[in-house]
């Protein structure tokens, strides 16, 4: 995962509240969310479950994609998650080091 940027989606439960973010260190950022070290929306809504992520080589591409997905209708975001992760499994263990 070195030298990559990631767009990711967190939730509190399947079909629950969604959060779209971007980072250059997916394991670290998700650890911060899980331990409520990030002030704001994710902490207020208990968004600890990583259900989708997408790697990008270029940080500008990742930021562009994040902004695009944030503008999407909720159904489109749900479909994006369902396509890659139909059971809404927490993907954190697969990325944690």
């Amino acid at each position: 995962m070195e030298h990559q940027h990631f767009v990711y989606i967190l939730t509190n439960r399947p079909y629950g509240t969604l959060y779209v973010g971007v980072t250059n260190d997916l394991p670290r950022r998700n650890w911060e969310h899980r331990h409520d070290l990030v002030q704001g929306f994710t902490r207020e809504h208990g968004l600890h479950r990583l259900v989708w992520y997408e790697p990008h080589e270029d940080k500008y591409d990742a930021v562009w994609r994040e902004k695009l997905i944030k503008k999407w209708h909720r159904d489109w975001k749900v479909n994006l998650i369902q396509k890659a992760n139909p059971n809404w499994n927490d993907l954190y263990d697969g990325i944690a080091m």
Side-chain angles (χ1 to χ4, degrees):
M1 290 192 196
E2 205 170 307
H3 302 295
Q4 286 189 332
H5 293 79
F6 297 87
V7 181
Y8 62 93
I9 299 177
L10 300 176
T11 191
N12 50 357
R13 66 184 182 280
Y15 304 99
T17 303
L18 301 177
Y19 172 81
V20 180
V22 65
T23 184
N24 67 344
D25 188 339
L26 190 60
R28 175 194 50 82
R29 188 64 171 159
N30 276 265
W31 186 87
E32 291 170 352
H33 285 300
R34 287 174 175 277
H35 292 88
D36 291 326
L37 300 176
V38 180
Q39 297 269 343
F41 189 81
T42 59
R43 179 195 264 178
E44 291 170 16
H45 295 276
L47 306 180
H48 300 145
R49 183 187 295 212
L50 175 66
V51 291
W52 178 87
Y53 65 92
E54 179 179 84
H56 292 268
E57 291 296 323
D58 183 82
K59 70 179 178 181
Y60 300 107
D61 289 342
V63 170
W64 176 83
R65 178 76 163 154
E66 177 208 22
K67 288 180 180 182
L68 179 69
I69 292 172
K70 281 185 173 187
K71 292 179 184 177
W72 285 6
H73 296 281
R74 177 181 169 78
D75 289 346
W76 297 356
K77 294 173 195 172
V78 167
N79 288 337
L80 183 68
I81 296 164
Q82 294 266 127
K83 186 175 180 182
N85 186 3
N87 295 321
W88 292 67
N89 296 323
D90 189 348
L91 305 175
Y92 179 74
D93 288 339
I95 62 150
M97 299 185 175

